[in-house]
Amino acid sequence: MKTLQITAPFQMRVADTEKPQCGNGEVMIRVMYAGFCGSDLNTYRGNNAMAQMPVTPGHEIGAVIEEVGTGVPETLQKGMTVTVNPYTNCGVCPSCRNRRYNACQHNETLGVQRNGAMSEYFVLPWQKVIPVEGISVRDCALIEPMSVGFHAVSRAQVVDTDTVMVIGCGMVGVGAVVRALTRGATVIACDIDDKKLDVMRSIGAHHVINSMTEDVHQRLSDITGGMMPDVIIEAVGSPVTYNTAVNEVAFTGRVVCIGYSKNDVSFTTKYFVQKELDIRGSRNALPEDFEGVIKYMRKGTCPYDTLISGIVSPEEAAGAMAQWHEHPGDVFRLLVKF
């Protein structure tokens, strides 16, 4: 079967690998679409320390059940459209004991710490297979990245009286904006790309700020009457945006960090105490976050065609990744069709 592999920085190939076998408690899926995400781009660039090359990327999945092994519940049947929860959890670490399985100390995400699902067939435990009705198999590949943004909003405990700013309007940021809107918050989207900000407007963001061309502090002061946002969600992973979140959030506000910064970040720590801030990390997503995204998508208002920047074959993937590397701001999600 065809399998995509990142073999070295800036090198990708289509390999011929053996079709897997479906064992007890397992489900074999036929992968129809798999999305490239920012971590895959970092792996391609050689900047992902967690990925050991050669590695098969892929944890954003739209698939159909091909085979069901013994010991699998009857709720999973051949032919079902599904997506995948791509994280592992050990069940015994502090995170798992606190039922925060998304942050398992020993997590291995598909396509990062272990081989992913960018191949024609893939086998995984039945507990990680999520049936999806009413959404096309193509669009199922958008569920996982949006769920990460949904989870960040849950970590922020957003309510309808909050003003929420989301910094970074990629797919994860889209999920955060959507989830904050569904909770009734006033939402501000912040990015350096006007095209992405236009998408945020179309989704329903009340305000947008281009941090490259506008004075972020002044705009936030004008929007909030000087009170500043109750919540700021950082979805970039840059020292600049980390500092913006801490500096611009309201007194007693909540800062939620999704992005991994490649460099150490220095803060004016007096704001931690002076504002009595809640600064929280947000990693991956829980099953209820996947459920929330699926419920949103079933409403039919998700701008799928805008969020899917391109669909390529496995043979075209290397060229598409090279282009994404050269023009990173042009892509929401790039899908590989098997």
Side-chain angles (χ1 to χ4, degrees), residues 149-188:
F150 270 50
H151 184 68
V153 172
S154 294
R155 290 283 293 140
Q157 298 175 297
V158 170
V159 296
D160 57 3
T161 55
D162 284 329
T163 296
V164 178
M165 179 165 80
V166 177
I167 305 176
C169 297
M171 275 301 302
V172 171
V174 168
V177 167
V178 167
R179 191 51 159 170
L181 287 169
T182 63
R183 291 195 174 196
T186 298
V187 179
I188 306 164

Side-chain angles (χ1 to χ4, degrees), residues 47 114 170 257-258 284 288:
N47 294 333
R114 57 186 173 134
C257 306
I258 310 174
N284 300 331
E288 51 262 40

Side-chain angles (χ1 to χ4, degrees), residues 7 14 56 66 72 76-78 86 151 163 169 201 211 224 230 236-238 246 276 320 324-326:
T7 57
V14 180
T56 299
E66 177 75 11
V72 174
L76 296 175
Q77 296 287 333
K78 182 176 179 178
H151 184 68
T163 296
C169 297
R201 281 196 193 93
S211 58
T224 64
D230 304 286
V236 177
S238 160
V246 170
E276 199 175 51
W324 188 14
H325 165 69
E326 294 293 337

Side-chain angles (χ1 to χ4, degrees), residues 111-138:
V112 186
Q113 296 98 332
R114 57 186 173 134
N115 282 327
M118 279 204 180
S119 56
E120 292 181 275
Y121 298 95
F122 193 74
V123 169
L124 66 166
W126 70 263
Q127 296 91 338
K128 299 299 181 180
V129 179
I130 303 172
V132 181
E133 294 182 5
I135 301 171
S136 75
V137 67
R138 180 199 73 169

